[in-house]
Amino acid sequence: MAFLARNMRAALLATPALGALLWSGAAFAQAADPATQTTEAPEPASEQTDEIVVTGIRAAERAAIDIKRNSVAVVDSIVAEDLGKLPDGNVAESLQRVTGVTIERNRGEGRFVTVRGFGPKFNAVTVNGRTLATDNNGREFSFDVLPSEIISGADVYKSPQANINGASIGATVDVRTLRPLDQKTGFKLAGSAAGMWSELADSWNPEFSAVASWKNDAGTFGVALSGVYSKQENRDDEFTIGAGHVRRSSTDSYYNLGAVPGGRIGPGVAPFSRVSMPSNLSPFFFERELTRWGVNASVQMRPSDKFTVTIDGLYSKARFVEQQTGLAYDFAGGILAEQVVEGGEAVYQRYVGGFVDQIIQYDDRDVATDQLGINVDWRPTDDLRIRLDGSVSDARRRGKENNLFTTIRRKNVDLSFDRRSGSPIYDYSFSSPNYANAATNPQGVTAHYYIWGGGADIDDEIEEYRGDVEWKPGGGAFTLSAGAMAQSRIKTITADETPFGEQCAYCDSNRVLPTSLFQPTDRYFFSGGGGDIIRDWLIYDPLALVHTIDQFATQDGKAFNPAVFSPSASSVVNEKVKVGYLMGALDTRIGGMPLAINVGLRYENTDYTSSGASRTVTSARPNGAGQNIIVVSPVIPVSFRGKYDDWLPSLNARLSLTDNLLLRFAASKVLTRPTLSDLSPRQSIQTNPGNETIRRGNPDLQPFRAKQVELGAEWYFTQDSLLNAAVFYKDIESFVTLVTTPQVVDQVTFQVTVPDNGNGATVKGFEIGYRQSFASWLPAPFDGFGVQTSFNYTESNANYTNAVANVSFGLEGLSKYSYSLVGFYEKYGISARAAYTYRDNFLQVASGRNGEPEYFDAYGQLDVSLAYDVGSHFTVFADAVNLNNAKEFIYSVTPDRTKEFRKTGRRVSAGVRVRF
C-alpha cells in the first residue's frame, strides 16, 4: 500500500544506522517485557495420563494468567480466544474485564479506558510498544478506531518499568497485533461473516473479517495479514440540556424587553434572584452511519536464532455520517407567565408568546489512523542483546467543510417544562394558538440561521525511535539494561468558523418557509420512557432548506456565508521528548524463596512549542430577539515554548512464597504530560444567551507528577485459576484542573474557562480479582463452567472547588466502586458467556457548560454471547450487547439537574466463523 511504502522510506531515511543494520543482517524486535510476548494459548496441557487440549475461552484465560504470573511488574492482560477473536467486538469492551479497569462509553460503545480511577488522559496507549497517533484534540486514545479482529491481545502495565514506553500516572496499555513466527502451526486462516441488528435504528448491518498467518517449515520467515470491514446504522434517543443550567435573576438583561427591565416577567411571577434554570431543552434523535475497515500486516524474518527482523503495518479508516434531529426550547423569548422554585431551582416554568427552534446538525467526517514499525532483535553473543525500534504514526480527521447546522423557528408559541416528576427527562410541551399539533405541523415555520462548515480538521504525526541494550554476564541471574528513545509529535488543528455577525441573517425569523420542505420524522422518541413529552417533530433535507433560504436571502438583500479559516480556533503543538534509562534485574533467593526484582531510573526531557492566535471580545449586547451581538478584536499571532526535565525511578519485586503463592511490591515516580488540547492556545467563544462562554488552553502548563506504591498477593491454586488482591497509593504532587471565572463585557457576562496547575492530591484503593475454570474439580457436564470477576475501590482526597457552582469535586474519571462478573461455559462444542460490568458515578468534566462540573451516573451493562462448533472448521455464533437496555445519564452538579440522558438500545450480532 502507498502509505506503507511512504512511511517505510521515511523511517529508513531518518535512521541511517537502522538501515545499515538491516543491510548487515541485524534485526528488530519489540522492546517490551518478554513475559508479555505470548500471543496465543500455550501448548496442550497434560493432566495425569490423558492429554487435554485447551482452546477457546479457557486457553485465553490460561495465557492471560501466565503473562501475569511470569511478569515482574504488575501486569494484567487479555488474550484472543482464537485467531482474530477477542472476547468482545471492541478492544475497550474486552479491557474492562481486567481488574481495576473501567471504560467510558460514547453512545453505547466503549471508547476510553480508565485504570484505577484515572481517566483516558492519564493513560498511555501503545501498539506493539509504540505510541499510536489519535484524531482526538489531545492525547486521549479512542479504542473505537482499533477493530478487535486485528488484535491478538493487550497488556495493562499498572506499575512502570524503566524500559516500558509510555509516561502515565494511570497505566500503560500495550495492544499487541498478530506476529506470524509466534504461531505454532505453519498456516492458519480464520474468518467471520455476521449481521448486526441495532434495536433503535431497526436495521441489520454487515460485518466481515479475515485473519491469515503463515510461516515456513524452518520458522525463518512468516507473514500475517488481518482485515475487517463493517457498516453500522445506529440510533440513539437523547434528551439534553444543551447549554446546561444557568442562574438568572428577574433583573437580568436576559429578561429585559427593550428598555424595560424585567419586561419579560409576567405579573404572576414574583421577583427572583440567582435561580438555577435550564438554559434550553433539547430532545433529539442521534443517527449515525459508520463505515469502518482496517488492516494489519506483519512480516518477520529470522535467518538464525541470533536475530529477527519484524515489519508491522496498521491502517484503520472510518467514515462517520451523523445527523441530529431535534427540538430546541430556547427560553430567551416570550413572557415568563408561571414559575415554581424549590431550593433555588426552577422546577417548573411556562412561557407565552415565545419560540421553539427545530434543529438538524449534519456531520460527515473521515478518520484514518496508520502506523508503520520496523524492529530489530540481535544477539551478537550469548550475553548481549541489542534491540532497536523505529516507527511512524499518523492520524487524520477530515470533514469540517461538510458540516451543516440548520435552525428553523416557530414563533408565538406557548411552552413549558416540569422537573417535578423526578425523571431525568423533564416533562415538556408547546402549542400554538394558530394551528394544532404544533410539533409536527409544517405551518408557521420560519427561517432562522444556519452554519455551513465549521469544526476542525486534525493531524497527529508521531515519529519514534529507540534502542535498547541488555547484558546478562555469563547467562547468570543479573541483567543490566540501558536504552534511549527520541519522539517527535506534531498535533495540528485547523478550524473553520462563520464570522461573528454573519451567522444569523434571519434572526428576526420573519421569513415563513414553504410547508413542502417539512414532514414528521415518524419516529417515536424514547419509547417506554419519559412522561408528558413530545414524541415526534419535523424533519427536512438540510441542503434543500439551505438552498431555499439562499434564494430568499438574495430577494431580501441578505447573504449567508460559509465558514472560513479561523486562526484563533486553530493551533499547532510541536512536542519533542528524549528519554534515557538504566535498569538492573536480578533473579535470586531470599530465605529459600525465589525473588525477582528490577530497579531502574528513567530520564525524560520534554521540549514543546505551542502556536496559534488570540482574540478578545470587545463588545457584547443582547439584540432583544434571543441572540447576542458580539464584536471581537482582530487576531494576534501567539507562540509559546515550554521545557521540563524529570528523573523517574522505579522498583518492581516478585517474591514466591510457594510455587503458587506470590507477593508483589512496586514503587515509582511517574508523570503524565498535559493533554495537547490543554497546551493549545486555541479558543472557542459561545454567544447564545445563557451560554456565553470562552474556553482556551494554557501553553504554560506543567505535567502531572506523582509518587506511587503498591503491594499485592496472588494465589495460583490451579493451572487455570487465580485469586489476586492489591492495595495502592498515589501521591499526586502536581495537577491540572480547569478554572472558570466570570468576565463582564458590556451587558453580557462570559464564563471564561482555562486549565491551570492546581494543588496536589492523594489516591488510594484496593482491587480484587478471581478467575477459575472448574474443569479440574467438577464432574461432567459441569466441568465446562468457569468464572472471572473483579472488584475495584478507589478514593481520593482531591478537593478542588468550583467557584461557579460552589461545589467541590474530585478527580475526573474516578469511580469509587467498579466490578465485573463474567461466567462462561465451554464444552461439547458450546461456548457461552455472560458478562455484567458496573462502575459507580464519576466526574466526567470538572468545568463543563457554564463552568459547572458534570457527572456520569452509575452504569451497569449486561452482554452475552453464544457459539456452537459445527465440526472442526465452522462455528455459528450470536452476541447481544446491552441486553439489559441500560441508559447513559450525565448530570450537572446534582442528579436532579439533567445534562444528557441517552437511550442506546440493544445490539445483536449473529453469523458464522470459519478456521483452517
Side-chain angles (χ1 to χ4, degrees):
M1 291 183 294
F3 84 94
L4 286 174
R6 182 183 71 248
N7 286 340
M8 182 181 293
R9 287 195 298 270
L12 293 178
L13 289 173
T15 53
L18 182 60
L21 280 172
L22 284 173
W23 279 107
S24 65
F28 274 76
Q30 182 176 333
D33 187 342
T36 69
Q37 300 304 302
T38 304
T39 57
E40 66 169 28
E43 295 285 357
S46 177
E47 299 180 7
Q48 298 178 353
T49 59
D50 296 327
E51 183 179 355
I52 307 297
V53 179
V54 181
T55 60
I57 298 175
R58 286 182 57 198
E61 286 290 294
R62 178 178 294 182
I65 288 173
D66 287 345
I67 291 173
K68 183 175 183 66
R69 184 173 191 167
N70 295 329
S71 174
V72 180
V74 181
V75 178
D76 283 288
S77 303
I78 57 172
V79 177
E81 299 170 9
D82 202 348
L83 198 66
K85 184 183 182 300
L86 279 182
D88 303 272
N90 177 292
V91 180
E93 303 279 352
S94 295
L95 284 169
Q96 70 179 328
R97 319 287 186 225
V98 171
T99 306
V101 176
T102 54
I103 64 174
E104 184 176 332
R105 300 178 186 276
N106 178 36
R107 295 185 165 102
E109 184 174 16
R111 186 179 183 188
F112 295 118
V113 166
T114 294
V115 182
R116 289 179 170 175
F118 286 87
K121 68 182 179 181
F122 298 103
N123 300 306
V125 178
T126 58
V127 176
N128 296 322
R130 311 177 188 107
T131 306
L132 186 65
T134 171
D135 68 291
N136 291 315
N137 288 353
R139 305 178 196 274
E140 302 86 349
F141 182 78
S142 299
F143 281 89
D144 54 1
V145 304
L146 276 183
S148 64
E149 291 85 353
I150 68 176
I151 303 304
S152 65
D155 305 307
V156 180
Y157 289 86
K158 298 176 182 176
S159 69
Q161 286 186 170
N163 65 334
I164 298 298
N165 185 18
S168 61
I169 289 179
T172 297
V173 181
D174 185 38
V175 177
R176 292 177 276 108
T177 60
L178 185 68
R179 296 285 176 77
L181 297 187
D182 292 337
Q183 307 306 307
K184 294 182 175 61
T185 58
F187 176 74
K188 298 180 73 173
L189 173 66
S192 68
M196 190 273 286
W197 177 73
S198 176
E199 179 183 17
L200 295 183
D202 193 19
S203 64
W204 281 95
N205 307 294
E207 298 176 337
F208 303 98
S209 68
V211 184
S213 176
W214 172 85
K215 67 178 180 180
N216 62 4
D217 293 338
T220 58
F221 182 79
V223 179
L225 181 66
S226 57
V228 60
Y229 170 85
S230 65
K231 188 170 185 178
Q232 300 178 8
E233 291 183 6
N234 295 321
R235 168 186 145 189
D236 302 337
D237 290 2
E238 308 191 8
F239 174 84
T240 74
I241 308 301
H245 292 75
V246 295
R247 294 194 175 274
R248 293 186 174 128
S249 304
S250 54
T251 56
D252 291 345
S253 61
Y254 183 82
Y255 284 111
N256 290 352
L257 190 60
V260 182
R264 292 184 54 226
I265 305 296
V269 177
F272 56 91
S273 177
R274 299 282 297 161
V275 169
S276 176
M277 58 188 69
S279 58
N280 58 11
L281 179 152
S282 180
F284 62 89
F285 305 105
F286 176 90
E287 295 166 297
R288 169 188 287 168
E289 182 179 293
L290 168 61
T291 304
R292 177 167 53 197
W293 63 276
V295 294
N296 183 77
S298 180
V299 178
Q300 288 189 293
M301 295 161 280
R302 187 177 291 159
S304 79
D305 59 359
K306 295 295 185 181
F307 64 88
T308 303
V309 179
T310 303
I311 301 174
D312 299 297
L314 181 151
Y315 183 77
S316 176
K317 184 175 177 61
R319 183 189 179 195
F320 300 84
V321 179
E322 300 172 347
Q323 181 164 302
Q324 301 178 49
T325 307
L327 300 175
Y329 280 48
D330 192 329
F331 305 109
I335 305 297
L336 177 60
E338 293 183 81
Q339 177 173 258
V340 176
V341 178
E342 296 178 359
E345 300 277 336
V347 296
Y348 168 77
Q349 284 185 338
R350 183 174 67 87
Y351 290 79
V352 297
F355 54 78
V356 170
D357 294 339
Q358 293 185 237
I359 294 174
I360 288 184
Q361 181 172 339
Y362 176 86
D363 299 293
D364 184 352
R365 69 185 191 276
D366 284 302
V367 175
T369 304
D370 62 61
Q371 185 184 72
L372 179 74
I374 306 175
N375 294 293
V376 167
D377 190 340
W378 181 27
R379 298 177 183 267
T381 69
D382 292 340
D383 299 342
L384 187 65
R385 182 181 186 184
I386 299 173
R387 294 177 292 177
L388 302 171
D389 188 281
S391 67
V392 290
S393 181
D394 188 19
R396 302 165 299 283
R397 187 172 77 193
R398 298 290 182 269
K400 59 184 172 64
E401 67 277 0
N402 296 327
N403 295 343
L404 187 58
F405 183 91
T406 60
T407 302
I408 57 177
R409 174 162 287 182
R410 295 181 180 275
K411 299 174 68 174
N412 192 29
V413 298
D414 299 341
L415 60 151
S416 66
F417 76 88
D418 194 337
R419 297 169 49 187
R420 289 172 291 185
S421 69
S423 170
I425 301 180
Y426 302 169
D427 292 345
Y428 59 90
S429 64
F430 75 91
S431 61
S432 170
N434 301 318
Y435 43 82
N437 303 318
T440 55
N441 195 318
Q443 299 180 62
V445 176
T446 63
H448 190 46
Y449 75 94
Y450 72 78
I451 301 175
W452 195 329
D457 288 345
I458 295 177
D459 285 272
D460 191 16
E461 301 177 9
I462 299 176
E463 292 186 19
E464 201 168 74
Y465 306 103
R466 63 177 296 173
D468 301 83
V469 178
E470 184 180 292
W471 180 50
K472 195 170 186 176
F478 177 73
T479 303
L480 181 65
S481 302
M485 185 188 78
Q487 181 193 90
S488 173
R489 184 170 196 167
I490 302 175
K491 176 81 78 169
T492 303
I493 300 177
T494 307
D496 287 355
E497 288 183 334
T498 301
F500 289 103
E502 300 182 14
Q503 300 175 344
C504 199
Y506 283 106
C507 275
D508 55 13
S509 305
N510 288 329
R511 169 61 84 162
V512 178
L513 295 169
T515 59
S516 59
L517 289 172
F518 310 105
Q519 58 275 334
T521 71
D522 290 329
R523 296 156 174 82
Y524 190 76
F525 181 70
F526 247 98
S527 60
D532 183 11
I533 63 176
I534 295 173
R535 305 283 182 175
D536 198 14
W537 41 85
L538 294 178
I539 195 170
Y540 53 87
D541 181 342
L543 280 177
L545 176 74
V546 167
H547 294 324
T548 301
I549 296 177
D550 277 344
Q551 293 174 6
F552 289 150
T554 301
Q555 298 171 13
D556 299 338
K558 300 182 179 182
F560 281 108
N561 296 305
V564 295
F565 172 67
S566 172
S568 63
S570 306
S571 67
V572 178
V573 178
N574 189 338
E575 181 182 76
K576 298 184 183 301
V577 178
K578 297 181 179 65
V579 176
Y581 78 88
L582 186 67
M583 185 178 79
L586 179 66
D587 287 313
T588 184
R589 303 182 77 87
I590 181 170
M593 297 177 292
L595 173 67
I597 186 171
N598 64 55
V599 180
L601 180 63
R602 186 178 178 94
Y603 167 74
E604 299 201 5
N605 169 267
T606 305
D607 192 333
Y608 67 90
T609 59
S610 177
S611 304
S614 176
R615 64 182 175 183
T616 58
V617 178
T618 59
S619 176
R621 296 173 180 270
N623 69 350
Q627 299 291 329
N628 289 319
I629 303 301
I630 304 296
V631 179
V632 297
S633 68
V635 296
I636 301 173
V638 294
S639 183
F640 302 86
R641 182 178 181 182
K643 185 177 181 179
Y644 48 87
D645 301 276
D646 288 274
W647 294 89
L648 306 173
S650 63
L651 180 150
N652 293 277
R654 183 193 68 213
L655 178 65
S656 301
L657 300 178
T658 69
D659 290 342
N660 298 321
L661 182 61
L662 307 181
L663 288 182
R664 293 188 187 274
F665 176 78
S668 58
K669 184 177 181 180
V670 291
L671 73 85
T672 292
R673 296 179 183 87
T675 187
L676 296 174
S677 55
D678 284 348
L679 289 174
S680 166
R682 66 190 297 261
Q683 61 181 343
S684 63
I685 301 174
Q686 298 288 337
T687 64
N688 285 344
N691 186 31
E692 298 95 343
T693 60
I694 299 174
R695 301 179 71 94
R696 56 174 174 258
N698 180 2
D700 292 328
L701 290 175
Q702 288 293 300
F704 305 83
R705 294 184 174 96
K707 298 174 183 177
Q708 59 185 26
V709 63
E710 73 171 273
L711 179 66
E714 300 160 11
W715 180 29
Y716 300 85
F717 50 96
T718 69
Q719 186 176 13
D720 299 326
S721 303
L722 167 64
L723 178 63
N724 64 284
V727 293
F728 55 87
Y729 179 86
K730 298 174 185 278
D731 181 9
I732 304 173
E733 300 173 357
S734 62
F735 205 79
V736 176
T737 184
L738 294 175
V739 177
T740 300
T741 55
Q743 177 181 329
V744 179
V745 180
D746 289 350
Q747 301 174 17
V748 176
T749 300
F750 288 86
Q751 300 296 335
V752 182
T753 300
V754 181
D756 199 3
N757 285 107
N759 296 323
T762 60
V763 176
K764 58 185 177 182
F766 66 88
E767 60 187 33
I768 301 172
Y770 166 56
R771 304 180 182 202
Q772 183 170 12
S773 169
F774 300 133
S776 61
W777 62 281
L778 283 181
F782 305 105
D783 55 346
F785 282 106
V787 67
Q788 177 187 352
T789 68
S790 67
F791 177 83
N792 186 80
Y793 173 84
T794 307
E795 67 174 29
S796 170
N797 70 347
N799 194 27
Y800 304 101
T801 299
N802 186 304
V804 172
N806 195 28
V807 297
S808 297
F809 53 85
L811 299 177
E812 290 182 356
L814 189 149
S815 288
K816 182 169 286 190
Y817 303 98
S818 62
Y819 63 85
S820 67
L821 301 171
V822 181
F824 64 86
Y825 183 85
E826 193 170 47
K827 196 176 176 72
Y828 308 121
I830 298 172
S831 178
R833 183 194 338 251
Y836 182 80
T837 55
Y838 172 89
R839 68 176 301 182
D840 200 7
N841 68 320
F842 64 93
L843 178 72
Q844 186 180 48
V845 180
S847 184
R849 287 289 193 175
N850 306 304
E852 293 185 338
E854 296 171 3
Y855 298 85
F856 201 114
D857 199 25
Y859 184 90
Q861 178 171 304
L862 175 64
D863 304 330
V864 298
S865 62
L866 178 65
Y868 179 71
D869 293 336
V870 183
S872 58
H873 299 296
F874 297 90
T875 301
V876 292
F877 67 90
D879 301 322
V881 177
N882 194 21
L883 192 62
N884 59 327
N885 201 21
K887 300 170 181 62
E888 301 174 2
F889 177 39
I890 302 170
Y891 58 88
S892 176
V893 186
T894 55
D896 61 337
R897 305 168 87 244
T898 298
K899 176 61 174 59
E900 299 180 30
F901 188 61
R902 304 172 184 151
K903 179 181 181 180
T904 60
R906 303 172 181 88
R907 297 171 190 176
V908 178
S909 297
V912 60
R913 188 175 293 114
V914 298
R915 58 190 177 276
F916 298 97

